Amino acid sequence: MVPDTRPAVPERLRRALEGRGHRFTEQRGAVHRFLSGTGTHPTAEEVFRGVRGELPAISLATVYKNLETLVACGMATKLTYSDGSSRYDGRTDPHHHARCERCGTVRDVPGNLPAEVMAELESCRGFRVTGYRLELTGVCSACA
């Protein structure tokens, strides 16, 4: 018998999928590995191109479905923009982003809002804050 040389599936991914009524598939594992292994915030098409090296028969539709499943399970974040575009983030911990208005590149920004700013925001009458998303916009050094 030939030993299985594929990387182990993170147990956290399997538990998150099963907790939401989904099963683990090789396609979901490949999409998750790609997202977890990149520091960029790829589009679905970029994920598709990246995963095809591992799974040549995967379709773009399957990548889209699996990205949405990972988002629904809390294993990825979907960053949407007013122009209708979306990017995906393998980091699910609270963090901020900077987006270049010219090329669309998204980068992580370190730090958090100070507690006093959060307290002020949370005191908004008639509205209960459950989270926030901070995005800085500007021009990256490559486009400047």
Side-chain angles (χ1 to χ4, degrees):
M1 184 170 162
V2 177
D4 187 0
T5 58
R6 292 177 295 175
V9 176
E11 188 58 31
R12 191 174 139 234
L13 173 61
R14 190 177 297 278
R15 280 194 315 269
L17 288 166
E18 291 173 356
R20 296 291 298 234
H22 301 283
R23 61 185 180 84
F24 173 82
T25 64
E26 285 304 315
Q27 293 88 349
R28 287 184 183 134
V31 169
H32 182 261
R33 278 189 297 280
F34 181 83
L35 272 183
S36 298
T38 184
T40 67
H41 300 76
T43 63
E45 291 81 5
E46 290 167 339
V47 174
F48 170 66
R49 287 192 298 272
V51 171
R52 285 193 66 197
E54 183 178 343
L55 298 173
I58 196 167
S59 71
L60 180 58
T62 298
V63 169
Y64 269 106
K65 289 176 190 172
N66 285 306
L67 285 167
E68 294 303 322
T69 298
L70 292 175
V71 169
C73 292
M75 296 300 293
T77 304
K78 183 177 184 177
L79 307 172
T80 57
Y81 302 101
S82 60
D83 65 359
S85 65
S86 298
R87 291 184 171 271
Y88 295 86
D89 193 348
R91 280 186 63 186
T92 58
D93 62 304
H95 64 283
H96 310 302
H97 296 104
R99 181 173 52 91
C100 178
E101 294 172 325
R102 291 189 185 158
C103 69
T105 299
V106 178
R107 297 180 180 163
D108 292 334
V109 175
N112 293 305
L113 290 178
E116 57 273 9
V117 172
M118 283 306 300
E120 186 176 334
L121 293 173
E122 290 172 349
S123 68
C124 181
R125 288 190 175 185
F127 188 80
R128 185 174 62 90
V129 177
T130 59
Y132 71 95
R133 179 175 136 184
L134 175 65
E135 179 181 82
L136 306 172
T137 56
V139 180
C140 71
S141 59
C143 291

